[in-house]
Each structure stands twice: as structure tokens, then as C-alpha cells.
């Protein structure tokens, strides 16, 4: 089976806070592109007022979407975080590590005003999985 490989080549600064500079996805992998997720509850109208609450809901939604495609957090190859404040980054990294452990994906963090004033985080993701070939 061909694997998805995180690559951190010599000559580039060491990745900090647990990410990979690049991830190589083989041509036989299934890919899943996930739109920006925010911290709305399943009712689509309410959300926790705090960053941790919203972020944990984003990870819950992300896990549900991945599961629906037969994937999990270990299949994430790229994450893009949009934070309403740079002050949230340390907590974001801590919650990310709770979900990914030693798994490394590419990651970008952007600090900007989000679409709705109550949103404190939005996350886009790409996942890829190489499935075992069917038995003959």
C-alpha cells in the first residue's frame, strides 16, 4: 500500500507547534475537501460564546464529516485555521494536539475578522486516504 507521507526537507526551518511543511499524497488516494467549519451547534443557530467551546465543536463536526467518508483525523493532510484573534492561537494548538496527537498535517493560521461577529474560529480541511485494494 502506498502511504501518505509528511515531508520536512533539510534547508527549511524546523516546523514548530506540530505540523508538516508538506504532505505527499499518492495518485491512488481518495481526497476529501472540507469547507470552512465554525462552532455552531447542530441546530445551526446557537454556538458557545467561548473559543474553546467553538473549537471543540469544529473538531466534532470535522470528525463527523471525516467519518461519513470512511476517514478519521489521521487522514487530514491540510488544515487552514481562521482565528478572530492571535491571542487564541496557543489554545488552538493545544486543542489541535488533543485531536491529532503525533499526526502531522500541513497547517496555515490566518488572523482576520470572520464573517459573523460571534465566530471566533473557522477551519477548512483536506483529507486523503489510500484504501486497501479489494481482495481477489
Amino acid at each position: 500500500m502506498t502511504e501518505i507521507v509528511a515531508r520536512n526537507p533539510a534547508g527549511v526551518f524546523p516546523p514548530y507547534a506540530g505540523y508538516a511543511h508538506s504532505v505527499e499524497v499518492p495518485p491512488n488516494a481518495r481526497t476529501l475537501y472540507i469547507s470552512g467549519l465554525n462552532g455552531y451547534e447542530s441546530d445551526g443557530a446557537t454556538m458557545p460564546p467561548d473559543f474553546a467551546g467553538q473549537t471543540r465543536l469544529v473538531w466534532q463536526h470535522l470528525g463527523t464529516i471525516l467519518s461519513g467518508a470512511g476517514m478519521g483525523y489521521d487522514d487530514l493532510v491540510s488544515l487552514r485555521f481562521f482565528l478572530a484573534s492571535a491571542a487564541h492561537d496557543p489554545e488552538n494548538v493545544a486543542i489541535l494536539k488533543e485531536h491529532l496527537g503525533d499526526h502531522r498535517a500541513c497547517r496555515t493560521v490566518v488572523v482576520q475578522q470572520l464573517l459573523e461577529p460571534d465566530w471566533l474560529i473557522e477551519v477548512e480541511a483536506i483529507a486523503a486516504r489510500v484504501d486497501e485494494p479489494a481482495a481477489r
Side-chain angles (χ1 to χ4, degrees):
M1 177 167 91
T2 306
E3 295 292 326
I4 294 167
V5 179
R7 299 196 183 278
N8 296 302
V12 179
F13 59 88
Y16 50 91
Y19 70 94
H21 282 300
S22 62
V23 174
E24 184 176 353
V25 177
N28 60 330
R30 293 186 300 118
T31 55
L32 181 67
Y33 298 86
I34 302 168
S35 293
L37 298 169
N38 51 51
Y40 277 118
E41 299 281 353
S42 60
D43 64 10
T46 58
M47 67 174 47
D50 62 303
F51 182 81
Q54 289 185 26
T55 303
R56 291 187 192 290
L57 270 174
V58 166
W59 280 98
Q60 179 182 326
H61 298 324
L62 186 55
T64 299
I65 291 168
L66 290 165
S67 178
M71 296 181 177
Y73 295 134
D74 285 347
D75 296 309
L76 290 167
V77 296
S78 182
L79 291 158
R80 185 174 299 141
F81 292 88
F82 299 92
L83 305 180
S85 169
H88 296 305
D89 190 55
E91 191 169 17
N92 187 51
V93 169
I95 294 170
L96 171 124
K97 287 181 179 181
E98 288 174 19
H99 290 85
L100 294 188
D102 292 333
H103 177 69
R104 298 295 180 253
C106 295
R107 183 171 72 229
T108 298
V109 179
V110 178
V111 176
Q112 66 181 50
Q113 179 182 343
L114 300 178
L115 183 62
E116 296 292 332
D118 292 337
W119 294 4
L120 301 177
I121 185 169
E122 186 170 357
V123 180
E124 290 180 353
I126 301 172
R129 181 176 186 82
V130 178
D131 292 323
E132 294 288 337
R136 293 184 185 230

